[in-house]
Amino acid sequence: MNTSPSLVKSNKNFLLFWSGQTVSLFGSQVTIVGLPLTAVYLLKANSFEMGLFQACATIPFFFI
């Protein structure tokens, strides 16, 4: 297989970018699930407090 050095470098940069995005999205999904569970289990949050927690999490989208 004959590949030019620029093509290999380009693929390496893409793979680094792709793996970084994968780790970032995985971390975001863990936070989406883990943060409310932490509030319930460790802080003993009730349903009203969980509602406030979710409302505070969505307030920035209202302003954007």
Side-chain angles (χ1 to χ4, degrees):
M1 185 161 115
N2 188 7
T3 59
S4 67
S6 64
L7 183 61
V8 172
K9 183 179 178 185
S10 175
N11 285 339
K12 181 182 176 188
N13 289 337
F14 174 74
L15 287 175
L16 287 172
F17 170 74
W18 185 61
S19 60
Q21 283 295 109
T22 302
V23 170
S24 175
L25 289 174
F26 181 74
S28 295
Q29 293 301 314
V30 168
T31 301
I32 287 171
V33 173
L35 201 56
L37 287 177
T38 301
V40 169
Y41 287 121
L42 293 180
L43 302 176
K44 307 294 187 227
N46 59 24
S47 59
F48 177 73
E49 292 167 337
M50 289 303 296
L52 286 177
F53 178 74
Q54 290 298 325
C56 290
T58 57
I59 285 175
F61 296 109
F62 176 72
F63 292 114
I64 292 175

